Amino acid sequence: MRLRERLGQLRGARRILRLPKAPTKLHIDGAYDRASEKYKESRSVNEVDYDALVARLRSATLSRTVAGLSPRDLRYAANCLFDPRYSMAQDREFIEQYLGALRLLRNRMAIRRLIYNYCRYFDPVDSRIARLGQFLEEEVSKAGTHRLWSERQRLVGIFSPKRAPREIAEHTFATSSPREKLGEFGLTGPLAVEGLSAYVLLSALEVIQARLSRIPSLEDVDRAIAWGRLGGIETPFFKYRGAVANALLLPFIDVEPDQLLRLKIQNFLLDDLGDPRIDRSSWVTTDETARAVLIRWLAQATLEQFLRVVDRVAPRHQWDDRRAFWGAYVEKQVVSNAWVAFGVDGARVARQISESTSDTLMRRFASLREASSDHAVLLLSIGDLVVADWSHNGKLRVWRSGDRSAPQFGLPSYVANQLRVGPDFETPHLPPGGWQSRAEAYIRRHTGIRLSESEFLPR
């Protein structure tokens, strides 16, 4: 049949084929809209009235009929054991009846809920936790009921409060992800950052601190940092950040780590806990000796920070003598605080160095106002003295720490004249053999700290 004949047939046909008309809205979209309208507000499914539940638990305890409560009541009773609003675990009679009821009930979900609360409220010295651990160890050992938890008990004694934290901690040493390892032991979600996991953290930090004290290594520093980063500011782990700082700093009270290791610890703690020279409140849970270690490092690093910047914005020959002089006090570990203020040029250079080296400290400085753009000031605390040493041809000035005109450390900015007012001692930087001897004699007289010429003159 030719095309012309076929077209003639189609023109004569009564029914002409048309493309189907697609719907403007799919049925699934309509179903979604109806469900969304119906459930605009979140609603609890089978919400538990815990006040009423606790009333039933207490009444049943008095009548010794806890075993007669419904499986649902016995299942949710685990949530009332350590919740401070109810604290049913304090009632020894209830605990014994409750555990006896669970033995008879043989309800898998009830045991799992009890395990959750055991891990969440874990305390290795709490006799109530020890009692629950003993019960759970017996229950999970029963054939085929809780295979994973039975294996965890065999491997790390998870229901043995004295064993569990240290043994779980030891199993985390082969991984750079503590959260992943905790998950293998059932400590997921909220359980990864509270309860038993917190004691695992403390045990791990004890081991890390001991290892760093013997042979400092970057691997152990990375392990401590991984634990420190496990819990954010909104988690219960946040309160243990002081313990992380202690583990990283206390091994170095009397020894100096290599520069790479020190820089890694320093950058992490500055980012995590903030600068102890500025915000002491975030360091309140840290050992004072540990804090002093970081401040000692910061004093050394701040002097280097200052010199690296000044070398680019001021005549270098002016700082050879000062580098040697203040470096001698830093090496004696008698500089308890240090801070720098830069003019516009120095601030720009410090930021450039920070970007190129990833040195967190280079971003921490004060601005110097109403001064030349290339000027800078170094502030040091030595004993009960506050020192301000200026770049270029500025004088060296010293105040006693109780003096109201003495500069404060850690301010975000300074007006130049504030750093020149009312010093107890000042001297221009005259040629070698002049200002250093006078400054050393003044500092020695007020602090008892002595330097010899061989220590403070350039080598």
Side-chain angles (χ1 to χ4, degrees):
M1 180 181 292
R2 295 183 178 182
L3 176 62
R4 180 176 295 178
E5 294 173 347
R6 181 59 180 157
L7 291 174
Q9 286 182 351
L10 289 173
R11 280 196 295 271
R14 293 184 179 181
R15 179 179 294 179
I16 298 177
L17 297 175
R18 291 186 177 92
L19 292 175
K21 187 176 182 181
T24 58
K25 191 169 186 178
L26 299 177
H27 287 298
I28 192 170
D29 291 332
Y32 174 84
D33 290 341
R34 290 191 295 274
S36 179
E37 181 66 26
K38 183 176 180 180
Y39 301 108
K40 279 184 177 178
E41 298 180 1
S42 60
R43 305 175 186 178
S44 298
V45 179
N46 297 327
E47 185 174 357
V48 178
D49 183 346
Y50 280 102
D51 290 332
L53 171 59
V54 169
R56 291 195 295 275
L57 295 177
R58 287 176 175 156
S59 175
T61 302
L62 291 174
S63 61
R64 302 187 63 80
T65 57
V66 171
L69 292 171
S70 70
R72 186 171 186 269
D73 279 355
L74 292 173
R75 187 166 68 249
Y76 285 104
N79 295 349
C80 306
L81 295 176
F82 299 99
D83 188 315
R85 294 170 296 178
Y86 311 116
S87 300
M88 290 299 296
Q90 292 184 359
D91 188 336
R92 291 187 178 182
E93 178 60 30
F94 166 73
I95 285 293
E96 294 309 317
Q97 290 192 50
Y98 170 62
L99 298 182
L102 291 184
R103 284 193 189 92
L104 296 173
L105 183 63
R106 289 181 166 275
N107 185 292
R108 186 182 181 87
M109 292 304 298
I111 296 299
R112 291 193 63 177
R113 193 172 291 272
L114 184 59
I115 291 173
Y116 178 89
N117 282 277
Y118 165 86
C119 294
R120 181 180 179 186
Y121 295 100
F122 182 91
D123 183 341
V125 298
D126 189 330
S127 60
R128 301 169 301 174
I129 288 292
R131 179 70 185 93
L132 293 188
Q134 180 186 16
F135 169 81
L136 289 170
E137 181 179 359
E138 296 169 359
E139 287 298 303
V140 300
S141 66
K142 293 177 180 176
T145 53
H146 301 277
R147 183 182 56 81
L148 272 178
W149 289 104
S150 178
E151 178 62 17
R152 290 161 183 161
Q153 172 60 25
R154 184 194 65 78
L155 192 62
V156 295
I158 197 164
F159 299 121
S160 305
K162 301 296 183 184
R163 287 178 54 197
R166 176 57 66 94
E167 295 195 22
I168 296 175
E170 289 175 354
H171 277 77
T172 68
F173 268 83
T175 178
S176 59
S177 175
R179 184 183 292 276
E180 181 179 325
K181 203 65 180 178
L182 290 172
E184 293 180 15
F185 294 105
L187 303 177
T188 59
L191 295 184
V193 289
E194 62 180 321
L196 176 53
S197 292
Y199 286 94
V200 175
L201 160 72
L202 295 176
S203 291
L205 293 177
E206 285 180 9
V207 175
I208 291 169
Q209 182 176 329
R211 289 164 63 105
L212 288 174
S213 298
R214 291 193 300 271
I215 306 175
S217 72
L218 203 56
E219 291 78 7
D220 284 330
V221 169
D222 286 336
R223 289 184 178 108
I225 290 175
W227 277 105
R229 288 177 172 156
L230 183 57
I233 193 170
E234 299 299 326
T235 71
F237 252 27
F238 189 66
K239 65 183 178 182
Y240 296 108
R241 57 187 183 157
V244 177
N246 289 340
L248 289 170
L249 294 173
L250 290 177
F252 305 108
I253 296 173
D254 299 315
V255 297
E256 286 294 313
D258 66 61
Q259 186 174 359
L260 180 61
L261 193 149
R262 188 185 78 175
L263 187 61
K264 186 151 199 174
I265 296 173
Q266 180 178 291
N267 285 347
F268 167 70
L269 293 176
L270 287 175
D271 287 338
D272 188 61
L273 280 168
D275 194 324
R277 302 168 300 177
I278 303 171
D279 182 15
R280 294 193 59 157
S281 63
S282 61
W283 285 79
V284 294
T285 59
T286 305
D287 189 288
E288 187 67 22
T289 308
R291 192 180 75 87
V293 170
L294 182 59
I295 288 180
R296 184 183 82 218
W297 292 354
L298 292 178
Q300 298 168 352
T302 298
L303 178 59
E304 284 304 312
Q305 170 197 27
F306 184 77
L307 295 171
R308 288 174 72 185
V309 173
V310 169
D311 280 347
R312 298 194 189 183
V313 299
R316 181 164 187 164
H317 70 275
Q318 294 181 341
W319 272 94
D320 289 340
D321 296 333
R322 292 180 240 186
R323 182 191 299 269
F325 187 75
W326 298 124
Y329 284 102
V330 169
E331 286 181 14
K332 274 189 175 290
Q333 301 182 10
V334 295
V335 178
S336 60
N337 208 343
W339 191 235
V340 293
F342 294 130
V344 174
D345 291 349
R348 173 178 48 78
V349 169
R351 293 189 187 98
Q352 289 173 349
I353 295 174
S354 176
E355 290 175 3
S356 64
T357 63
S358 300
D359 186 344
T360 299
L361 186 66
M362 292 302 296
R363 301 196 302 267
R364 298 174 185 272
F365 57 83
S367 60
L368 183 61
R369 297 184 285 122
E370 299 181 18
S372 297
S373 63
D374 58 350
H375 279 196
V377 181
L378 172 66
L379 297 177
L380 299 172
S381 177
I382 301 175
D384 64 348
L385 300 178
V386 177
V387 175
D389 203 2
W390 285 73
S391 64
H392 295 74
N393 292 319
K395 291 182 178 180
L396 161 63
R397 296 175 174 84
V398 186
W399 295 258
R400 297 185 188 185
S401 59
D403 191 327
R404 289 186 177 181
S405 58
Q408 298 180 41
F409 286 84
L411 298 182
S413 67
Y414 298 87
V415 175
N417 283 338
Q418 291 175 339
L419 303 178
R420 300 188 180 107
V421 176
D424 188 60
F425 170 85
E426 66 179 11
T427 181
H429 297 91
L430 296 176
W435 70 269
Q436 296 103 315
S437 296
R438 290 193 299 276
E440 190 277 336
Y442 175 85
I443 293 172
R444 171 166 32 92
R445 187 165 63 251
H446 289 280
T447 66
I449 300 168
R450 180 184 297 272
L451 290 181
S452 65
E453 283 194 0
S454 63
E455 290 177 301
F456 66 67
L457 289 180
R459 296 182 178 90

